[in-house]
Amino acid sequence: VARGRDASPLDLAKLHFTREGDLDTGTIEGVKDADRFAKTWAALGLVGVADGDRASLADLLEATLQLGDVDVEETTTSEGEGSELVRGAASEAAAAALGVDEQDLAKALVKRTMKARSEVYEIANTAQQARDARDALAKEIYVRAFDWIVAAINKATSCTVPDLKINVVGLLDIFGFESFAINRFEQLCINYTNEKLQQKFTLDLFKTVQAEYDDEGVPWTHVAFPDNAAVLQLIEGRMGVVD
């Protein structure tokens, strides 16, 4: 389900952005996708996201998915290689979901604006540049929608009493090393960050305190703890993955 209404007109098995994913897994950790979606949708209402805003959010997510099926074809212009929008059901659906004319969507993808001093002019995008612009637009819409949700949650959970100095609630996720069927560079970066956080937690809570106890002659009982220094050495050490 991609929309917040009763049914979705999208076939995720056919969409470019989703068809390569694992669509056969409908249950994660004992919770069905539909139940998880319903809880998420209800939670948005709980933090003050109105029905109309939730519907707009669903439209944005739909637009993001629809953009993936928009394509272009190569053309030749007086300035060299260019591109042209392939008009059809995909471009019509994406433009409708975005609330813009199909012509405006085409212009945004196949051309880019350049500015030199006081002069502004347009340059034709190649087919690959137009596809990159399409993907960048989809990512930007998704990121802004995510940031908007975070802002709404922060607003709903923030303190409204001026005299109370409650500024930050910090959440530390440790031992978050994940391994999927396909692991790319961004997953390595996520895991590396989690391992660095775990090492800082280990240093602050165990190693540093125990060293202080030794220096001050304070009697203490040794506490065994997992140390991931070897993992970090493998990633960032000499001849490591990111050396």
Side-chain angles (χ1 to χ4, degrees):
V1 177
R3 295 173 66 94
R5 271 73 90 181
D6 295 334
S8 170
L10 304 181
D11 186 349
L12 300 184
K14 295 181 179 180
L15 294 174
H16 174 68
F17 283 160
T18 55
R19 65 179 174 229
E20 299 300 327
D22 182 9
L23 299 178
D24 294 329
T25 301
T27 301
I28 299 177
E29 297 180 348
V31 182
K32 294 182 179 179
D33 287 348
D35 294 337
R36 195 182 302 274
F37 177 83
K39 290 180 179 179
T40 301
W41 210 246
L44 288 174
L46 186 63
V47 298
V49 179
D51 291 343
D53 289 336
R54 283 187 291 176
S56 296
L57 176 62
D59 289 337
L60 286 176
L61 296 178
E62 179 181 336
T64 301
L65 294 174
Q66 295 279 18
L67 274 171
D69 285 359
V70 174
D71 202 5
V72 296
E73 58 186 2
E74 294 182 359
T75 60
T76 301
T77 68
S78 58
E79 299 175 353
E81 184 181 351
S83 58
E84 185 177 273
L85 180 71
V86 176
R87 297 180 181 272
S91 60
E92 291 177 2
L98 289 169
V100 300
D101 292 333
E102 192 176 6
Q103 183 63 32
D104 293 332
L105 176 61
K107 183 178 179 180
L109 298 183
V110 303
K111 293 184 179 181
R112 65 185 188 274
T113 302
M114 301 291 291
K115 183 176 182 180
R117 295 185 180 180
S118 60
E119 184 179 359
V120 179
Y121 54 96
E122 291 182 342
I123 298 178
N125 284 333
T126 65
Q128 186 56 53
Q129 289 173 333
R131 293 188 184 101
D132 290 343
R134 173 204 64 193
D135 293 346
L137 176 59
K139 291 178 181 178
E140 185 65 19
I141 292 174
Y142 190 87
V143 167
R144 293 199 181 196
F146 182 85
D147 289 344
W148 180 82
I149 292 174
V150 172
I153 294 173
N154 287 341
K155 181 179 179 181
T157 57
S158 63
C159 179
T160 58
V161 181
D163 294 337
L164 294 180
K165 303 298 183 181
I166 302 177
N167 297 321
V168 176
V169 175
L171 300 177
L172 175 61
D173 176 19
I174 60 177
F175 283 125
F177 204 100
E178 299 172 325
S179 178
F180 300 101
I182 299 177
N183 297 280
R184 295 187 172 88
F185 181 69
E186 61 266 25
Q187 189 59 47
L188 172 64
C189 293
I190 293 171
N191 289 338
Y192 176 42
T193 301
N194 283 338
E195 292 298 326
K196 290 289 285 187
L197 286 172
Q198 170 61 27
Q199 180 62 202
K200 177 172 174 52
F201 178 79
T202 299
L203 286 172
D204 291 346
L205 187 63
F206 296 109
K207 292 183 178 181
T208 303
V209 174
Q210 291 180 2
E212 290 178 355
Y213 284 177
D214 286 336
D215 293 340
E216 298 175 5
V218 177
W220 59 279
T221 301
H222 178 76
V223 177
F225 58 89
D227 190 351
N228 65 340
V231 176
L232 289 175
Q233 182 66 20
L234 177 65
I235 297 176
E236 65 184 11
R238 186 178 181 183
M239 302 297 291
V241 177
V242 295
D243 181 28

